[in-house]
């Protein structure tokens, strides 16, 4: 588990809503990305919406360059990569796995569910956020079998 820390300044603020903030964990890589790693909503309580994480590196070129997407075949290894990406965003925001309130899980083969869930348990321990699991026929890069997105809530002292 990571340790809660002071919330960082956001990368940018929505021009139409001062409570909506763009999060960039590696600001110099924004130029390569068509979406933010996360969006923080600060009022009435702080929420963090984490973009879908796959086995691909968080920051990668768009359009995709296949050399950046050399995925292991194993669902366990792919899920660990996605969870490490999400951990980097939670760490950046000073949040813990126990601050995650919702997980959406996308699989290309529902038989991968048990392997994916076992890896999530390594990270979440006994904490069980709300969850939705969806099976789809393809993800964003060849060979990707899993994508995870999450919503986390900032503890009141940090909201
Ligand atoms: O599903 C999304 O839009 C977020 C993730 C995207 C990718 O993994 C990607 O563009 O490679």
């Amino acid at each position: 588990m990571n340790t809660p820390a002071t919330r960082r300044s956001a990368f940018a603020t929505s021009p139409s809503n001062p409570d909506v903030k763009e999060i960039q964990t590696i600001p110099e890589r924004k130029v390569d990305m068509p979406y933010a790693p996360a969006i923080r909503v600060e009022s009435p309580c702080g929420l963090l919406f984490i973009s879908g994480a796959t086995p691909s590196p968080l920051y990668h070129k768009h359009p995709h360059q296949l050399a950046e997407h050399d995925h292991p075949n194993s669902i366990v290894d792919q899920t660990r990569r996605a969870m490490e990406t999400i951990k980097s965003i939670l760490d950046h925001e000073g949040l813990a796995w126990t601050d995650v309130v919702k997980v959406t899980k996308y699989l290309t083969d529902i038989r991968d569910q048990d392997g994916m869930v076992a890896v999530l348990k390594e990270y979440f321990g006994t904490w069980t956020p709300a969850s939705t699991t969806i099976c789809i026929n393809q993800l964003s890069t060849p060979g990707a079998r899993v994508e995870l997105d999450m919503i986390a809530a900032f503890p009141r002292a940090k909201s």
Side-chain angles (χ1 to χ4, degrees):
M1 296 286 168
N2 53 11
T3 311
T6 307
R7 190 189 304 183
R8 296 180 188 224
S9 297
F11 176 81
T13 301
S14 163
S16 56
N17 187 336
D19 293 323
V20 174
K21 310 281 186 179
E22 176 182 338
I23 303 305
Q24 292 288 343
T25 57
I26 309 178
E28 59 273 24
R29 296 297 308 272
K30 177 182 167 69
V31 67
D32 295 323
M33 302 292 288
Y35 56 87
I39 295 287
R40 191 165 79 203
V41 180
E42 295 188 334
S43 180
C45 74
L47 294 176
L48 186 76
F49 295 80
I50 302 176
S51 287
T54 69
S56 296
L58 171 56
Y59 284 85
H60 53 264
K61 299 275 189 204
H62 294 83
H64 287 158
Q65 296 181 1
L66 287 186
E68 288 188 297
H69 306 276
D70 185 18
H71 307 313
N73 189 48
S74 143
I75 186 62
V76 166
D77 293 341
Q78 288 205 12
T79 305
R80 278 209 186 101
R81 286 191 180 187
M83 290 296 277
E84 286 298 317
T85 289
I86 290 170
K87 183 176 185 309
S88 75
I89 297 168
L90 292 173
D91 286 348
H92 183 270
E93 291 298 294
L95 291 173
W97 291 107
T98 46
D99 295 315
V100 173
V101 296
K102 176 72 199 290
V103 182
T104 305
K105 305 153 178 164
Y106 303 87
L107 293 170
T108 58
D109 185 338
I110 200 65
R111 292 171 295 185
D112 284 339
Q113 188 167 18
D114 290 346
M116 172 195 64
V117 166
V119 174
L120 264 59
K121 191 168 172 49
E122 291 174 12
Y123 289 81
F124 279 112
T126 57
W127 180 248
T128 50
S131 171
T132 302
T133 302
I134 302 164
C135 195
I136 55 169
N137 70 354
Q138 225 170 12
L139 286 165
S140 55
T141 53
R145 310 172 72 101
V146 60
E147 179 165 350
L148 302 167
D149 69 50
M150 302 194 189
I151 301 171
F154 286 90
R156 182 177 280 269
K158 286 186 275 173
S159 293

